[in-house]
Amino acid sequence: MNYRITGLPPTDVAHLFGLDDEALAGHGAKRYVVSEKPGFPDRIALRDLDIGERAILLNYTHQNADTPYRASHAIYVADGATEQYDRVNEIPDLLRTRSLSLRAFDAAGM
């Protein structure tokens, strides 16, 4: 059976790109300069950001259903990311080197 893995669409967070620190804070986000690798996993390109790159830490709603399982968490994205990871039958190194949690929901978000 084939499978597909995609990063988040850059359009989901593009409104944050290029904002100054004060404007980011107004969105509940914060900019970092990557200081260690691994340590800043970009959820768009599904790669570890390189030292010196800029990352934005933000809260992302990944389960948006109006159920008890509605959920969000803090994630990093590369500031200005444009290339979304999208591959069939390929697992990015980012996912190979970390402990992962898998959750499944039905069409109603349960």
Side-chain angles (χ1 to χ4, degrees), residues 2 4 7 23 25 29 31 34 36 45 47 51 53-56 58-59 66 69 73-75 77 86 92 95 101 108:
N2 293 322
R4 181 179 187 185
R31 177 177 294 104
V34 175
E36 59 186 87
R47 67 180 182 89
I51 293 173
E53 285 189 86
R54 294 183 311 157
I56 298 174
L58 63 120
N59 187 272
D66 189 18
Y69 293 105
H73 204 290
I75 63 167
V77 296
D86 186 352
L95 299 180
S101 152

Side-chain angles (χ1 to χ4, degrees), residues 4-12 42-47 60 80-87:
R4 181 179 187 185
I5 296 176
T6 63
L8 299 176
T11 54
D12 285 2
D42 175 28
R43 299 300 180 96
I44 294 172
L46 298 184
R47 67 180 182 89
Y60 186 81
T82 58
E83 291 190 39
Q84 176 187 16
Y85 184 93
D86 186 352
R87 307 278 192 290

Side-chain angles (χ1 to χ4, degrees), residues 6-56:
T6 63
L8 299 176
T11 54
D12 285 2
V13 296
H15 64 284
L16 300 174
F17 298 161
L19 296 180
D20 63 25
D21 292 344
E22 185 177 338
L24 281 174
H27 289 276
K30 182 174 172 70
R31 177 177 294 104
Y32 288 87
V33 175
V34 175
S35 57
E36 59 186 87
K37 183 177 179 177
F40 293 80
D42 175 28
R43 299 300 180 96
I44 294 172
L46 298 184
R47 67 180 182 89
D48 281 302
L49 296 176
D50 292 323
I51 293 173
E53 285 189 86
R54 294 183 311 157
I56 298 174

